[in-house]
């Protein structure tokens, strides 16, 4: 029996973005308060070592290895009391922990590389990059929520890092995921791209902004597009999402249907914003634009949105 809602192609667009390849079995329903302690007593446990927005990667021949055994990790003085449990794979439990030594003190065979470079340069496989998104976001949330937001008392980690408990007032606090809408406004012929002053030279991308409390995804897309470009949107359609550990966001990619053409860019946010016809965007994707204009690189959800529009005419 088929159900019309699920008649779409089976390949989810979200599968094709960076940070989306996590294969860890989270076993979220089984997270006891002592699950990290149990993992630390299990000789099969492997962990990722993070710190200051970087991951410690072992140089192994010509490739990078992000995984450490417990004994192997001791040289890096991991802060195991604040480790988080990512879950399990066929070989056992998987943790993430902050390294206790600085990048300057690492052995020559280990490099501390910032998350963005690891992602942009494809230094680790898709599954490990997905695990990095989980571990980086969870460690960052715990590190920035050490005190109870109700009473100010120091809170304690629970459930493998997925909850913080306040022993003073009894409140429980849970990890945040901050939703960001990223949207490609497009007709059949052209799409709207803009560039912020901090973008790489020649780079144009889809517009984006945080979804606010009490707002639907669709209304956030309409509001941001109006604020940044002066374009009113009609229909808004969800396309794909991307975990984004800077520090703990979820990018929600949508297409929007424009109702007017006259762009009024918010020059406080964008230094340029204009319509691009399909052939020009195809050149930008292929890095063949005569003026050197480019789209974000493969792996970025903006790239996924732009490529879907160019290739499929969505
Ligand atoms: Zn409290």
């Amino acid at each position: 029996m088929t159900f019309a809602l699920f008649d779409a192609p089976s390949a989810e667009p979200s599968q094709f973005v960076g940070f989306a390849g996590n294969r860890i079995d989270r076993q979220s329903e089984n997270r006891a308060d002592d699950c990290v302690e149990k993992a630390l007593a299990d000789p099969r446990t492997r962990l990722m070592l993070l710190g200051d927005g970087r991951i410690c990667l072992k140089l192994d021949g010509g490739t990078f290895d992000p995984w450490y055994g417990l004994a192997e990790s001791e040289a890096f003085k991991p802060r195991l009391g604040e480790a988080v449990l990512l879950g399990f794979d066929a070989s056992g439990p998987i943790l993430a922990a902050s390294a206790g030594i600085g990048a300057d003190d690492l052995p020559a065979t280990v490099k501390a590389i910032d998350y963005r470079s690891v992602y942009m340069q494809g230094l680790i496989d898709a599954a490990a990059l997905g695990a990095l998104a989980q571990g980086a976001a969870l460690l960052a949330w715990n590190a920035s929520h050490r005190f109870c937001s109700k009473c100010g008392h120091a809170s304690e980690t629970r459930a493998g890092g997925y909850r913080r408990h306040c022993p003073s007032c009894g409140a429980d606090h849970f990890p945040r995921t901050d939703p960001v809408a990223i949207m490609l406004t497009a007709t059949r012929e052209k799409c709207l791209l803009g560039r912020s002053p901090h973008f790489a030279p020649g780079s144009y991308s889809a517009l984006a902004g945080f979804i606010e409390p009490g707002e639907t995804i669709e209304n956030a897309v309409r509001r941001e597009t109006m604020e940044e470009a002066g374009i009113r949107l009609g229909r808004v359609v969800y396309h794909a999402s991307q975990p984004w550990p800077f520090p703990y966001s979820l990018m929600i990619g949508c297409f929007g249907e424009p109702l007017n053409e006259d762009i009024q860019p918010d020059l406080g946010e964008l230094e340029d914003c204009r319509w691009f016809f399909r052939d020009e965007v195809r050149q930008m994707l292929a890095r063949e634009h005569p003026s050197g204009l480019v789209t974000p690189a493969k792996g970025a959800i903006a790239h996924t949105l732009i490529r879907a529009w160019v290739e499929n005419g969505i």
Side-chain angles (χ1 to χ4, degrees):
M1 193 173 79
T2 60
F3 179 30
L5 182 62
F6 301 120
D7 279 351
S10 60
E12 292 174 7
S14 302
Q15 292 175 343
F16 304 109
V17 300
F19 295 118
N22 199 347
R23 298 289 176 266
I24 291 171
D25 178 0
R26 296 179 181 235
Q27 297 194 16
S28 58
E29 73 281 21
N30 296 327
R31 282 185 200 124
D33 284 343
D34 64 350
C35 62
V36 169
E37 286 75 10
K38 279 188 175 164
L40 291 173
D42 188 331
R44 301 173 305 158
T45 293
R46 294 179 303 149
L47 54 84
M48 269 185 175
L49 291 167
L50 311 179
D52 296 329
R54 295 165 182 262
I55 177 171
C56 298
L57 297 179
K58 288 182 285 186
L59 270 167
D60 187 5
T63 62
F64 288 101
D65 180 357
W67 299 112
Y68 298 78
L70 282 173
E72 183 185 17
S73 75
E74 286 176 10
F76 303 89
K77 299 185 172 64
R79 299 193 179 102
L80 298 179
E82 300 163 12
V84 296
L85 179 69
L86 304 187
F88 302 82
D89 69 6
S91 64
I94 300 172
L95 300 174
S98 296
I101 62 173
D104 293 342
D105 298 322
L106 294 173
T109 53
V110 174
K111 302 293 179 196
I113 302 179
D114 68 281
Y115 304 155
R116 198 175 294 267
S117 296
V118 172
Y119 152 73
M120 293 292 290
Q121 297 171 28
L123 301 185
I124 56 179
D125 65 37
L129 193 62
L132 170 59
Q134 183 186 1
L138 199 53
L139 284 173
W141 176 78
N142 275 278
S144 58
H145 291 78
R146 296 181 181 283
F147 297 91
C148 176
S149 55
K150 282 191 174 174
C151 77
H153 195 280
S155 60
E156 299 167 350
T157 185
R158 294 278 194 279
Y162 292 82
R163 178 161 56 91
R164 295 193 71 89
H165 179 73
C166 174
S168 178
C169 76
D172 284 312
H173 304 281
F174 297 91
R176 291 172 53 154
T177 296
D178 296 337
V180 177
I182 180 164
M183 48 278 179
L184 187 66
T185 296
T187 68
R188 199 167 292 278
E189 293 80 27
K190 59 190 180 183
C191 73
L192 183 73
L193 300 175
R195 58 170 282 111
S196 296
H198 67 268
F199 282 9
S203 181
Y204 280 77
S205 186
L207 306 183
F210 281 104
I211 298 173
E212 296 194 341
E215 193 169 47
T216 63
I217 295 169
E218 292 87 343
N219 282 340
V221 167
R222 292 189 188 95
R223 175 180 55 74
E224 285 286 343
T225 305
M226 173 55 80
E227 288 175 1
E228 293 193 15
I231 297 295
R232 284 177 291 115
L233 295 185
R235 288 178 301 174
V236 171
V237 179
Y238 167 78
H239 183 66
S241 60
Q242 178 180 37
W244 191 244
F246 302 99
Y248 26 72
S249 283
L250 177 68
M251 307 293 286
I252 301 173
C254 297
F255 291 103
E257 174 190 38
L259 299 179
N260 61 308
E261 289 206 8
D262 48 322
I263 298 168
Q264 293 181 312
D266 174 0
L267 296 176
E269 294 225 10
L270 300 174
E271 66 177 29
D272 191 23
C273 181
R274 68 173 176 90
W275 295 106
F276 290 77
F277 286 95
R278 192 183 299 265
D279 284 345
E280 186 174 14
V281 179
R282 189 175 282 119
Q283 291 175 325
M284 293 163 72
L285 279 169
R287 303 300 191 255
E288 294 172 351
H289 191 279
S291 303
L293 303 187
V294 293
T295 60
K298 188 166 181 276
I301 190 168
H303 181 103
T304 299
L305 286 167
I306 292 166
R307 181 171 291 281
W309 174 73
V310 165
E311 294 183 349
N312 305 321
I314 290 171

